[in-house]
Amino acid sequence: MRAHYRAEGIVESDLAASPFDQFARWFKDAAAAGLHEPNAMVVSTADAAGRPSSRTVLLKAFDERGFVFFTNYTSRKGRELAENPAISLLFPWHPLARQVIVSGTAERIGRDETAAYFRTRPHGSQLGAWASDQSAPIASRDELERAYEELAARYPEGEQVPAPPHWGGYRVVPEAIEFWQGRLNRLHDRLRYVREGAPEAGQWRVERLAP
Ligand SMILES: Cc1cc2nc3c(=O)[nH]c(=O)nc-3n(C[C@H](O)[C@H](O)[C@H](O)COP(=O)(O)O)c2cc1C
């Protein structure tokens, strides 16, 4: 299996000054190309000993402050982030021969922000967030479904479900964002924004990496 990638590349002069604006452009391209779940990203974390783990999660928001996703704070990723906030996000936009890699640190978003997002989730997903002790071994599928049914009886459709305290958002504050574009003869373009100074300063330098 060997794909020959498209010839059009990315040049420094076409890049947006802000990597978030550049990400927005590529994200729009991914959506316009009809990619299934263009907001699906591979999130990698590591425990205190540096042992890595990865999983797919959905990007729910991004702006100049960073990239936001929601999960269970007591899950494996949640426990690892509590020990070690270093994180990597990877967007695998294969049909466009593109990949974006964000590296930085994760911080919990505010409870108000989590509550506001939780209210927009379908009722069933709200119950699911309560029903599942994410990443813990369970005895059976039945156990999970029983927990869900109990919650559904406590919070019937139409009733406000509070956001579980163990569930919420993380914002990934980037230190670097790499844009990769596949090109002919494996001479791919890789342009990486590297943050200079504090996140609030919004200063980035761009470097080109060998493919
Ligand atoms: C397409 C896709 C989207 C997913 N989105 C989320 C998500 O937004 N939040 C989440 O906690 N898990 C999501 N998952 C499940 C995770 O991949 C993972 O199983 C779960 O978060 C537990 O991971 P952990 O045990 O490494 O903490 C998604 C899985 C897939 C395949």
Side-chain angles (χ1 to χ4, degrees):
M1 282 183 275
R2 176 161 299 194
H4 289 286
Y5 294 136
R6 45 197 263 163
E8 314 95 87
I10 37 169
V11 291
E12 286 81 343
S13 56
D14 286 344
L15 287 181
S18 154
F20 300 103
D21 292 342
Q22 185 61 36
F23 182 84
R25 288 182 194 170
W26 275 28
F27 190 63
K28 211 169 138 206
D29 290 348
L35 261 62
H36 179 67
E37 297 194 301
N39 61 329
M41 56 188 188
V42 177
V43 174
S44 299
T45 54
D47 65 14
R51 278 180 295 252
S53 66
S54 301
R55 76 291 290 158
T56 306
V57 162
L58 296 179
L59 175 73
K60 286 296 171 178
F62 69 92
D63 60 21
E64 297 285 326
R65 293 170 300 166
F67 297 82
V68 175
F69 66 91
F70 291 86
T71 193
N72 187 309
Y73 289 142
T74 61
S75 65
R76 177 174 184 181
K77 72 184 93 51
R79 289 194 307 271
E80 291 184 355
L81 288 171
E83 291 177 8
N84 175 2
I87 191 164
S88 160
L89 311 176
L90 184 149
F91 294 85
W93 293 327
H94 302 170
L96 296 178
R98 284 179 175 177
Q99 165 180 270
V100 175
I101 301 175
V102 176
S103 44
T105 52
E107 55 190 38
R108 291 186 185 192
I109 65 171
R111 287 316 290 170
D112 291 355
E113 210 180 331
T114 284
Y117 170 68
F118 193 77
R119 281 196 291 275
T120 69
R121 285 167 61 97
H123 184 71
S125 310
Q126 293 178 335
L127 298 179
W130 275 104
S132 166
D133 182 12
Q134 192 179 58
S135 315
I138 50 174
S140 65
R141 168 100 208 163
D142 274 1
E143 183 183 311
L144 185 63
E145 289 183 357
R146 261 199 313 275
Y148 183 91
E149 292 311 326
E150 280 172 27
L151 286 154
R154 197 179 327 156
Y155 299 107
E157 188 79 50
E159 189 138 324
Q160 181 89 10
V161 182
H166 56 266
W167 188 95
Y170 285 101
R171 175 170 285 107
V172 176
V173 179
E175 280 151 17
I177 307 184
E178 181 194 324
F179 294 83
W180 186 99
Q181 173 73 67
R183 297 194 58 185
L184 284 178
N185 302 322
R186 298 298 182 259
L187 300 180
H188 314 304
D189 286 323
R190 299 178 63 191
L191 293 174
R192 180 165 69 186
Y193 292 78
V194 182
R195 197 180 77 206
E196 305 213 291
E200 311 76 64
Q203 289 294 321
W204 301 87
R205 86 185 131 81
V206 174
E207 54 195 19
R208 181 176 280 270
L209 304 177

